[in-house]
Each structure stands twice: as C-alpha cells, then as structure tokens.
Amino acid sequence: MLASTTLSDLLSTLLDRRPFGRKFEDGREIKEICLALQTESDETSGWKLASTILNRYRMLDRDRKIAFFEFLNDELDLDAARVADLANTYGSDPSPKNFRALSKASEPRRQALFRQLNEAPGATAQIVRLRRDLLALLEERPEFARTDHDIVHLLRSWFNRGFLVMRQINWESPASILEKIIAYEAVHEIGTWDDLRRRLQPTDRRCFAFFHPAMPDEPLIFVEVALTCGVPNSIQSVLSEEREAMDAEDADTAVFYSISNCQAGLAGVSFGNSLIKQVVRDLSHDLPNIRAFVTLSPIPGLMRWLKNEGTPHSGDDPRGIERLAAKYLLDAKAADGLPLDPVARFHLGNGAIVHAIHSDADHSESGLVRSSGVMVNYKYDLSRIAQNTLRFSKRREVVATSSVKNLAKRAAVASGGPATLPIGMRTRRE
Amino acid sequence: MLASTTLSDLLSTLLDRRPFGRKFEDGREIKEICLALQTESDETSGWKLASTILNRYRMLDRDRKIAFFEFLNDELDLDAARVADLANTYGSDPSPKNFRALSKASEPRRQALFRQLNEAPGATAQIVRLRRDLLALLEERPEFARTDHDIVHLLRSWFNRGFLVMRQINWESPASILEKIIAYEAVHEIGTWDDLRRRLQPTDRRCFAFFHPAMPDEPLIFVEVALTCGVPNSIQSVLSEEREAMDAEDADTAVFYSISNCQAGLAGVSFGNSLIKQVVRDLSHDLPNIRAFVTLSPIPGLMRWLKNEGTPHSGDDPRGIERLAAKYLLDAKAADGLPLDPVARFHLGNGAIVHAIHSDADHSESGLVRSSGVMVNYKYDLSRIAQNTLRFSKRREVVATSSVKNLAKRAAVASGGPATLPIGMRTRRE
Amino acid sequence: MLASTTLSDLLSTLLDRRPFGRKFEDGREIKEICLALQTESDETSGWKLASTILNRYRMLDRDRKIAFFEFLNDELDLDAARVADLANTYGSDPSPKNFRALSKASEPRRQALFRQLNEAPGATAQIVRLRRDLLALLEERPEFARTDHDIVHLLRSWFNRGFLVMRQINWESPASILEKIIAYEAVHEIGTWDDLRRRLQPTDRRCFAFFHPAMPDEPLIFVEVALTCGVPNSIQSVLSEEREAMDAEDADTAVFYSISNCQAGLAGVSFGNSLIKQVVRDLSHDLPNIRAFVTLSPIPGLMRWLKNEGTPHSGDDPRGIERLAAKYLLDAKAADGLPLDPVARFHLGNGAIVHAIHSDADHSESGLVRSSGVMVNYKYDLSRIAQNTLRFSKRREVVATSSVKNLAKRAAVASGGPATLPIGMRTRRE
Amino acid sequence: MLASTTLSDLLSTLLDRRPFGRKFEDGREIKEICLALQTESDETSGWKLASTILNRYRMLDRDRKIAFFEFLNDELDLDAARVADLANTYGSDPSPKNFRALSKASEPRRQALFRQLNEAPGATAQIVRLRRDLLALLEERPEFARTDHDIVHLLRSWFNRGFLVMRQINWESPASILEKIIAYEAVHEIGTWDDLRRRLQPTDRRCFAFFHPAMPDEPLIFVEVALTCGVPNSIQSVLSEEREAMDAEDADTAVFYSISNCQAGLAGVSFGNSLIKQVVRDLSHDLPNIRAFVTLSPIPGLMRWLKNEGTPHSGDDPRGIERLAAKYLLDAKAADGLPLDPVARFHLGNGAIVHAIHSDADHSESGLVRSSGVMVNYKYDLSRIAQNTLRFSKRREVVATSSVKNLAKRAAVASGGPATLPIGMRTRRE
C-alpha cells in the first residue's frame, strides 16, 4: 500500500533552481570576492559571488589552495582580545545585548562565509570536497585544524541526523547513483556492473544508503546486507558468483558484510552508527523472521599488532590465529583505553558485541595481508544495544560471547600493549 | 518533458523513519531528561529522550514553560569567565587545541541540546513551535532573548536557503497542504475551499511556497500571483468571483498580491526576499511574455502615521489620499533611516521600487482602517534589483517612479518625523 | 521501506502529451469528419480529427446527438449478408485469409472509429461520457443497444482489471481528486470538506479507489472503510462527528460502509468486486490484527418489496422488521433466481455471506424510506469466497449465518414472489 | 517548474498488487485449466488459474507449445456455421438481441481466454512473449495465423496509442531499464555500460522510449537522438568516443540515429511512427533552436538489390554508390508498389522525405555488408508530414530533395524490378 507522497512530491524541485546560464567573469582575486560576498545583500548577486568563489577555488593549484586556507585561517579568524573583553562584559552584565555581542565575536568570520557559500545551488557538495582538500593538508599545516574545526561544526549542523534520508539501493536505482556505489565500495571491491548486480538484485541481498536533500546524487555512506540462514563464516560464501538466492522470507539472519563511507570530506561527521541501527530497525519490521543481525567484518589491525607484539603467525594453524584474533579484539587497547582495532571500536561503540571469529574467512589479498584471512562477526541485539553502549563508553568494557572469551584466554601472546594509533573507518579508495 | 526524478525519488523516505510505537513513560523531570540526553550515546535511546522532552514540553502549562526557559537561559548558558580565560589563552597561543577549547566554551550548552533534540523524527517543526512560545514571552522576560538568539542561530543554519524547496501550490496539491494555505493567508483572508480554488485553479493564477525537507507538510511562506494584462489598481478586481480567467500566455504582468509567512516561530529567519526573487526568475523563464513583476500591496501604517502627523484624511478625496500615501512611503522614516512602513521596508529592501499608488483599491475593512483603501504597486526589475538594493541599504534611498515622486511633492502634510516603530511583516492570524 | 518507483517514474508523462494549442476549425459535419478519420494515416492529423469529433460531439444538442448515434448505429454497422457469406466461406475453408476476412467483416465499423478516437490525448474520459449519454437514450431508442454493446466491448478491453490501479485516498490526496469523492459519494452524502476529512484523516478510517492510467484524475469507484472493534450495528455510530478515533493496530474489524461507482458511463464494466477483494487482501497484509471484513449495507428494496407483498411495516417493532429484512434477503428472488435486492446480489455474487441484520441502524431520510432504518452486514471471508461464489452462481444459494436464517424463519410474511426488477448498484447522484 | 504529479502519484501501485505467495500446484492439463478459467467467477481464483496457465505455458517444450496453440486455434475457434446462421438472423431482424448473439458468436473463444489471462498481475508481458513464440511457429504452421490474428487484435486494443507513455531514458534511469536498452539496441550495438553512458549522459544526446503502464519495466521501442550543428554524414562521427559534447541550446539539428523495437511479440503493433512524431513535437517545444529533424539511417536492402539487379558495386567509387543508393531508394519497389527498402518504407510512410545520401558513412561490418557503408538522411518536416503521408500512401510517391533525385538519375543501373520481399523493421538481435 502507499505511503503518502507528499514529501517526495514537495522535493522534486530542490535541485531545480535555475543555474546562471553561461559562466560569468569576475576579475577579482578569490579573497576579494569572499570579502565582497560578506557584504552582499541581494540574493542573486550573492549566489553569483558564491558560485564564482567555489568555481574559482576548484581551479586553484595546490599552492594557491594553501594560500586560500591561510586567508580563511588567519584573516577570517576571530579576534581573541575582543572575545575576552566581551566575555568579561557579559560576565558582569549578562544582558541579551552583551550576549549577542559575545556570541557574534566568538564566531570566526569564516563560519559566516561558509554559510553564505552554502546558499548557492549545489554548493554543499562543493564545500564537502573543499574539506577533503583541507584534511589532506592537515599533516603539513596542522594550524589549519582551526578552519577545519569550523567547517566540521557547520557540516554537523547541516548533516544533522534529522535531515538524512535512508534509501534502499537496488537494481532499479538510477545508474548515476549505482556508478557511485561501484566507485565508493571500500571493503570488498566491486569490479563490474554484473558484480554490482549480484549484490543488489537477488532476493536475499539488500543495500541501504544515507542521502542528504542538498546532495541527492551523492550517497553519504552505504551498507551491503546479505540475508542468510545462520551466521556465515566466510566472505567468499557471501560473494560467490555461483550461489543460489533464497527467498527473503526464509532467512533468519541479516549480515552487514560491507559498510563504506563515500565522502572523505565528511570524515568525523559520523553516520555509520545511525545507518546500521536504522537498517536493523527497518529490517526487523519488514522481515520479522530475521532474528539475528551480525556483521562479517575485517580485522584490519591484526597482523600489524602481531608484528608489533613480536608474535608473527605462520598461517598454518587456523585455531591459533583465531585465538590471537580474539586476544587482539578483546585485549589490545589504544592509549584511550578503547580497542586498538578501528572496526572493533566502531561496532563496539555502537553497542554490538564480539560474536564469533573465523579463520580462513577472507581469501582476498588485502584480507590475507591485514588479518591472515580471519574475520569477525559483531552482533547487534536491539534490546541490549543501549546497555552495551554504556558499558563500552563508560567502563571501556568489550562485551563478547563466552566462546570468544575462551578463545582469547588460550591465545599464545605475551603482552598486549598498544602499538599503533587506530586509523579511522576506511573511506573510499584514494 | 521530464526532469530527473532522482531527488524526489531519494527523499520519499525522509519522514518514513519508524516512530517508537506506543508512548513510553519517563518519570523524571524535563530538566533531568535534558541533562541525560546530553550524555546519551546510543541513537535510539537519544531519540526517545528527545521525543520525550519535546512531548513533555508541549504539555507544560505557561508557568512551567517559563521555568523550562529559565533552565535553558541560565543553567545551560555559557561560562563567561571561562570564555574570557580561554580567549586570552588563545590570544597568546593560537593553537588548534586552544581554538577548539574556546570554540566549545563559547557555545552555550543549550545549543548542543537543541541540536540533539533536532535529531529525533519530526523534531524540527516542534522546535519551531517552541520558539513561537518563546517569542511570545520575550516582552515579559526580555532576558530570554539570549536563548532566542541561540535558537535563531540554529534555525538559520538548518533553514539555509540552499536547503529550501520552492514548490507550486495548485488545485492538485494535497488537501493537508491546502488547508494550511487557508489557515496561514494573512493578507486577504481565504474564507472557503471555493475561495481557495479561485486563487489556485484558474489558468491565470499561481501560488508558490517554500518548504523544508524536514517539515514537508508545512509551508514556510507562500506568495499568491495573478497574471494580468497591465498593472491592476485594485485588489477587488483581482479577487473578483465573477472575473473570467485568461490564458497565461496572454498575460504581460505578474502581480504578487499576497505574501504570507506561515511559521511565527521562524520570525527573523527571512525567506520572503528569496521566494519573490525565485518566482520572478522562474516565471520569466516559463512565461517569456511576462514583462513586468509588480506587487499589489497594502500600506499598513498609513492611517496611523497620518493620525500621528495630525493630518487625518476624510476619505472623500482620492487624489489627496494618494498624495499622502506617496509622501508617507517616500519620506516617513523610522529611527534607523529606513521607511516607516513595514511592507515598504520589505520590498524596497529586496530591490523593488515604488511604482504606482491607487486610491479606492481595497474595500475590505482592514484595508479601509489601515490605509483608507489605498494600495501600492512595488515593481521588481531583475536587471536593477542589485543596484536598487545597494542604494537602499547603503544610502537609505527610496527609489520611485517620477509620477510617484510628483504625487509626494504635492502632498499636503506638514512634517514627516517617525512616530511609531515599524512592525514586522505580518505572520498568520493569531 | 521503499517500493520501487520505476512505474510512477515512468508514467508521470502520460498526460503530458502536448495539446494542440488553440482550437482549430473544421467546417465539415461530424459524420464527415468521422469518415475522414477512418482513412487518415498521419498520427497528428488523426489526433486533430479525433479531438474535433469529441469536442464537436460535446456541443451537440440532444437531437443532434441522437442523429449522431443513428449514424453510428446504422451507417457504421456491420454488413450481415457479407458476414454470413464470409462465415460460410470460412466454414468450408478455414484458412487464415478467410478467417481475417470474416473477423474484419464481423466487427462493426464503429468499433474501429472508437479505437481511433481513443488515441487522442484525454479521449478515454470523453468516450466514457459519451456512453453516459447513450445509456440515457436507451429507453427511448432501444435499438441503440447495438452501438452500446460495441462501446462496452471496447471499454471492457481498455478497463481490463490488469490495467486498473488501486490507490488509497487520504487527506494527502490532491484536492482535485477529493472534490470528486465529495461529488460521487452515492450512499452516505458528504456535505463539506470537514465531513470529508472525518472520513479520510482519522487513524481508523481508510478509503480506496480504482483509477485508470488514461484517466488519472478520475476515480472509477471507491470504497470507504472504518476500522472498528467488533461489527458495528448502525451507520450513525460510524459517521458520528463526536467519536474518538482509535489506533488502527487496535481494530479487529474492517467495515466497508460505502461503495460508490463514479462513472455512469462505465455501468456494466464492473469493478466493485475487484476493489473489495483487493482491499481485503491488502488490509489483511498490512493490519494482521484485522480478523473480520464486513459491510454495513443498505437494503434499498426492502420497503418496496414489503409494500408489494402487502406486508407494510409500522416501524415500531424492531425485531419484526429485522425478521422481515432477513426473509427478504434470503427468499425474495428475481426472475433469474437471484436475490431481488441489488446490493445483496452484488455482495453475495462476490462471495460474501449475510452476516447480521440491524434495525434502527440508519436514521437518514433515505434509510428510513428504503428500509425503515434496517441495515445488513455482509461478511467477506477470504478462505470461503471462492466456494460461496460457486454456491451462489451455480446453485443460486444465499449463504447466511444461522442467526439470520432463524430470523428469516420467524418472519411474518405470506409469500415471496418477485415483484420488481432489481436496479443496478447505485451510481452517483444524477 | 513542476508539472502536476497526480498521475505518477496515482500509478505507483500498479504493479504493487500482492502476488500469491508460494507457488500453488494444479494437477490438471493446461487445456483443462483454460476451460476452468473460462467459467471461473471469483477474481482471486481466476488470477490463480491465469497465473498457473501462463507459468505452465512457459515450462512447455516446443512440441507441447505447438499442441497448446493447436488447442487455441481449433478448439477455441469460432463456430462458422453458427456465425452464418446468426448473421442471417440479424440480417432479417437487426435487433440488439440478435446483434449481441452474432457479436458473441463471431468472436473466437480464445479471445475471451486471453482477456481473462490478462487480468492477472504481470500477465501482459507474458502474453507478449507467448506471441513471440507463436510468430516463430508461423512459417511451419501457417494456420496458426488465425490465433495470431486474434492476439494482435487484443494487443492493438491494449497498446492503444492513448495508453502509451513516452519517457526520456538517461543516466538517471534505473539500471533495470538501462540493461534492456543495451540488450535491445538493434542498429548500432551498445557494447558496455560506458558505451551506453556516451549515448545518454552528454548534453547533446537524448533517448526516448515508449512504455505501457502494465509493463513498466519493459521499453517497447526507443529512439536515440544526437543534437548537432548541421546534418551529419557519418555514424562514426556521431558515435565517436573522442568527440566533445556541445550545449543543447547551440544545436540546430536533431538526428534520429537509431530506432529499435524491443518486443518481438509486438511485431505489427507499430509504435515507431508515433514515437518519432512525439519526439519531434516535444523537442520542437523544448529546444526552439532545433530547426531540422533528420534520421541517419541504414539502407539494409541495398547490396542485396544490387546483386539481384546484377550490378555489384566495387566500393571504390563513392559517387557511384551514392547514385545507386538514390536509385534504389527512389525506384526499387516491392509488389505493392511501395519501396523495397524496409527502412525507407517506414520513414516515407511516416511522412518523411529522402533528404541526402552519404557514402563512407558506416564502417561497421554490418554497414559494409548491407549497404557498402552508404547511409541516408530522411527528414521530418512537421508542416509537411501530413501531405507527404498522403502522397506516399495514396499515390505511392517517394518525396525526395532535388539533389537526391539528380543522384538517382545518374545511377548506372539497368532496370529496377522488385527482387526480394521487404523485411519488417529490425527488432532486437535474436
């Protein structure tokens, strides 16, 4: 039966706003145009300036981009002395007028600039790309982290969970979206359109993505799901070209076998947690026969940790490597007391538990290099997520099944000190 | 031919997120739940808390709402001394770390709270309603302006022009939207569904509204347009029940005869400017025969001004009252140097000019009371909007046709000092 | 979650085909234009001719319409002698060539004409209206039944069940559709938009309609449904303005309390059967708590039958009138052996059973006049519909609950011969 | 700006009708089930029987399919003697009753069967496939042409032009549709998804298809269009991978360079004419700068004709082969007096003219084999289509530009008698 179409109906014009026909020329420097934009009061003129800035930015070479970020970072910063003054004033007289003055002064001018840029049609995606550039410069120019902080602040507001749209991706989806799924899959590469079809079209496969209304052609993050009988112990069985699809109604398990962030420029504006939970909620409702929600996840830091620990593994002992993996996931911690493994941090932080560990589960080259082919199931149990989250965030506790705990106890490792900094969730191939 | 349907396609789920079944009980005070929300890390639990807070808020009586706003205003304020300290620290060492600390401290905790509230399904509309309550309390509790400032700051970010969707309202629109058009029309009341149909269905009538993806059932602002031959000189001729509709292709003029803000809670987050300009752009494109874009506007402050000036008008002299109206629009200024008349401020601020003045143009009771039946056409000329905006905002210059200027010169008024504060654009009937 | 939007996507252009700008003149008689159309081979020219014919037809006065139908009926009839010849030829030599010749000859030329008319944009609705006129002339000109037979033949093909679309009507539906629901409701009048809203918006109300892709703005038939606890025994309780809505999940019964055909010109091309069964199937799926599907139906022929039987009823004896109604529904038969009551024929023919009878169930004037306020529940039980249909159609058996049978046994009536011809299901108010 | 979404809105449920869960078993022979269906009165039971028949049919091997068609052809034929009788009766008494009896008798029972089959969800596409099988058997079993005649009769009614939907195919279209475009392209093969993208995504490319609401996932026919400056003289320049796209607004010519029927089972139910004309109308409206609408068409019968004529061509003389092609197109006629070349018959029958002839225009293998690389532009001029159609259909006149006529005059061919039967427009690769 039909849901109301009011919304889709309403929104079909979002990107329909008229562009500005042919490009217009503006002889000024990009900085000057930025300053002009901050005083422009006519909407159309403002859009033109904003578009000019974003187009101009895109054309800049690396050095000029750096110069542009220096301008943002320094010339459009806040005035600390003024903030201190106004804070003191507000401290002695908390009037609305003083509050407003302090509030205005404590927001760097670059924030207002980005807000204005974002008003132009199509600007949001361009700002996300600009931040990708900025992130890539942070190592070299750590002081740019100030500008990055401001952009993240805005992106978090714009990409508020309440504005995100989850949508199923299937073989009926527009090719323009599907080609991005191919491009952005970060965990188990999609080689061809036929490969893609095998992940979308069968009755026992699902794919879901988040979108934002202002970037309707760009998935933000997507998760690939296999509906199975029982918990799978190898990615090859899930991705096999020969397998027969089953009816979704006959499955009892939903397996999240790949989750990929699509927008490097949105790093730190996390959606993965929300996406998985929404998929769990929706599948629970639509397919009541699904009892278990598990991942089939890589253990990207395993081999590196073993090497650092001085416990290199031969690969000939499947039990042995499972024990080592269990040990790693349960006991190897970073400086902040959280698991060293980035994927473990992510799922455990979401309230999942370590459910089972499988050797010989990933024959791909990257799987062998990173974890000697071992994979792990994390399990999401809706009724315990809140409680697990609390145990993890408050007490740094890694919840696991007793069989995983037993594996870990029998692992042949000396110590478990932190060796490497955890990397973030993988984003798309660079 | 078809535009791409990708977007509408993508978005049809935005409001489809599962609600939480039956209401859940939470015995705590609303303040305690707010504090709990600020430390909650599980999404679903967070949504439940946010929904509980918003539902609980709605049930509060006036006194308890005031108490809640006191809590927001005082207990969730920023710590001025700490801000001053951190600003000094940042001043002497502008490191990213110091910047982040200052940035965090200078944002009142209530901002983070509202951001979290906004993640729950349907929250945005409820926050807008909460602000309506807050606005109504400001006279009595002026210090709440601090909290209001923070909410407006967030609303401006969420209702960024880039996220707004313009949509035509017509007789094919959902009844759930149309009933809101009836309710929100602020300028020329819509009495019945037949009345509404006469403004939407004829070939020479248009209506456009802005929507936000997170409130797809709620128009934010709408404008009603009549396509005519020549500039009309009375609202009765536009709204007449007997008139014959003409083909849109035969019209040479588009008349904005009513513009209504729908959300009192969005006062100060202005969309009217954008809406009119987008309609001008789109109609120019779709109906190239339309040469002139004018309003047919009330002059709400005219009679009050005349009374204050000691120049009461008898109503028997149509030329006389037109001259007085011209004088009022061109010369009566508020303390800030801008026109006293709020509608004039709005359209002139948008870059329109005073085009013509008509007595005997509005026979309605409110029209007679406010302006003795005089109305005015403001004219939007795309090629001159930017320049007019500049003249108005920089030089306080009111641009008008020479005929209007001549009228003003011949007006029989003594002086033109500011007498009343300008009221804002009218929102819906309270 | 989302169904695929491929279809809706595909179809949004169906009515978008360009019309022919301004009207074009054609000085010829309508008959001549019909003959010209039959030999036209260019599509655009053909559309213009077809549109001209249909527009011209609409303008004809009654006498000229009759003349036009005479032309169709006589001049565009088949040539019986030729058919007989070709049938004989085919009988002796059943070659494809002879078959084609016979096939072509046995189809009256008016059929081909209507097929060509139907190619023009918007023609289908106009042909349906033309047939409404034709039906109204049948009593006076019974020979036109030949032309009517051909049109019905085409309409049945065009309105094939496989091409019909069921759609929920709710308060989100376009006003242009809703105003037709108001206009077409035939059983329990809808007085105002607020009245309509009470039937569409509450959580325990549903309305479904069939549409045809070529007439997307015109509902063909619709049914109004109340979700209740238990089977209601009065229409006033269902339509009451004061009642509180319940959650759909709490209901155990779906009540079809009104079903209205919208298109008089589609009489005899029945959809009611299909609509009710599809609604039963869909609600069973979406609301598994719904156990019983019943109607709350008028008994339009009761009082007429009692009068014919010479058993007028006083109205003071609620048990007595229920018994009489049971007797009437179970035993009063038309010449064809089927129930005399047209609504009973419809629902029993669909496989429903007579479930319960209620006096004092309809206080409206028409309810009192037609059936002294008595109403009946017919019950649809998916698992028995096929079997009931068979018993009814093959053996003329009226299936009823034992309580209804007991009522009928105790009815104080002499005999039960057929007295009046059954009328068809009611269509909209004329 | 937005068109009304009423229709798309209405139709999104068309294929949403609930299927019948798991397959059901029916032990009877397919013929028996057909006979059972003809007497079934319950909709759901009828749908099940219809689905069973269509599923069963699909599983039949070739011999059993033949047996099934024999059953349709013979046992469900009309009764010729009875038709002759009833025709005589009607001839002497043209009463509606006699008309209805004749009308009913003269329709073979298989027609009613197919109408019932078509009521089941998804049946239309299956009937189209059934007819494809039937067409393939016609050579061997020519008497099946009787059954074919009936199916075509029904298909023409169901696929009435008024029910077809033209839709643009672009890179936003669902992959499920696009893969069919790849599969069905019959003229210039599409090898890969990148190949497809080059025909859909550039600003100067368009593709349009007809769909039917009952087969929303299946294009019926599609045409690929290049927007160009001037009339192109080679397909390689159109399909080149290196070419730069131009703005649609800068083009003055629309080139139909490929038109492909997708459904072999709809042979003889022609849509190509309608599609081209609708595209011409729509592009004329949307891109007023487009002045000329031409094809770039193959000449599939040229080399065969030259061979039959005994005028084999060496390929070394570009002028020579152009003259021969002109001669062939203008003068080589089939037995019916229409052009021998099937593509010429199609476009000239639609009202186009022979505009220009180009040697060395198609280097593909099939292009060289069929026409030694020569191609032709047919030109559609909206203002002359009706007149050209008439000249062609009434007088067998081939309209051509004078330059083409001059080419033909100078061609070195002896005579021009018809040699081969024209084949139909090409359908997809078998």
Side-chain angles (χ1 to χ4, degrees), chain A residues 1-6 166-168 170 172 208 279 282-283 286, chain C residues 1-6 166-168 170 172 208 279 282-283 286:
Chain A
M1 208 107 29
L2 276 199
S4 149
T5 56
T6 305
M166 188 177 89
R167 220 179 119 60
Q168 189 172 348
N170 55 30
E172 314 283 303
F208 300 95
V279 171
D282 283 10
L283 285 180
D286 291 353
Chain C
M1 209 106 27
L2 276 199
S4 147
T5 56
T6 308
M166 189 176 88
R167 217 177 122 60
Q168 188 172 350
N170 55 29
E172 313 285 301
F208 300 96
V279 171
D282 283 9
L283 285 181
D286 292 352

Side-chain angles (χ1 to χ4, degrees), chain D residues 91-108:
Chain D
S92 52
D93 173 12
S95 73
K97 193 182 154 210
N98 289 338
F99 179 76
R100 273 191 294 265
L102 171 58
S103 184
K104 184 156 195 285
S106 59
E107 184 184 270

Side-chain angles (χ1 to χ4, degrees), chain A residues 43, chain B residues 161 164-167 207-211 220-224 256 258-260 270-281 346:
Chain A
E43 174 177 288
Chain B
R161 175 64 184 90
L164 299 187
V165 180
M166 190 177 89
R167 218 176 121 60
C207 179
F208 300 95
F210 271 152
F211 289 85
L220 306 180
I221 187 174
F222 62 91
V223 61
E224 296 165 74
F256 303 98
S258 180
I259 177 161
S260 303
S270 178
F271 313 118
N273 179 354
S274 292
L275 179 60
I276 287 180
K277 287 176 185 173
Q278 172 124 19
V279 171
V280 170
R281 280 192 301 268
F346 173 74

Side-chain angles (χ1 to χ4, degrees), chain B residues 192-245:
Chain B
T192 64
W193 284 81
D194 278 340
D195 214 357
L196 175 67
R197 184 212 311 264
R198 272 191 296 275
R199 303 205 194 178
L200 300 180
Q201 204 176 31
T203 47
D204 57 357
R205 289 297 180 263
R206 296 287 186 279
C207 179
F208 300 95
F210 271 152
F211 289 85
H212 187 276
M215 293 169 62
D217 295 322
E218 282 286 348
L220 306 180
I221 187 174
F222 62 91
V223 61
E224 296 165 74
V225 186
L227 307 177
T228 61
C229 277
V231 175
N233 58 12
S234 118
I235 189 65
Q236 275 74 34
S237 68
V238 169
L239 297 181
S240 161
E241 295 191 15
E242 283 82 33
R243 65 175 205 84
E244 294 260 316

Side-chain angles (χ1 to χ4, degrees), chain B residues 1-2 6 167 172 282 286, chain D residues 1-2 6 167 172 286:
Chain B
M1 209 108 24
L2 278 197
T6 306
R167 218 176 121 60
E172 314 283 301
D282 283 9
D286 292 352
Chain D
M1 208 105 30
L2 277 197
T6 306
R167 218 176 122 60
E172 313 284 302
D286 292 352

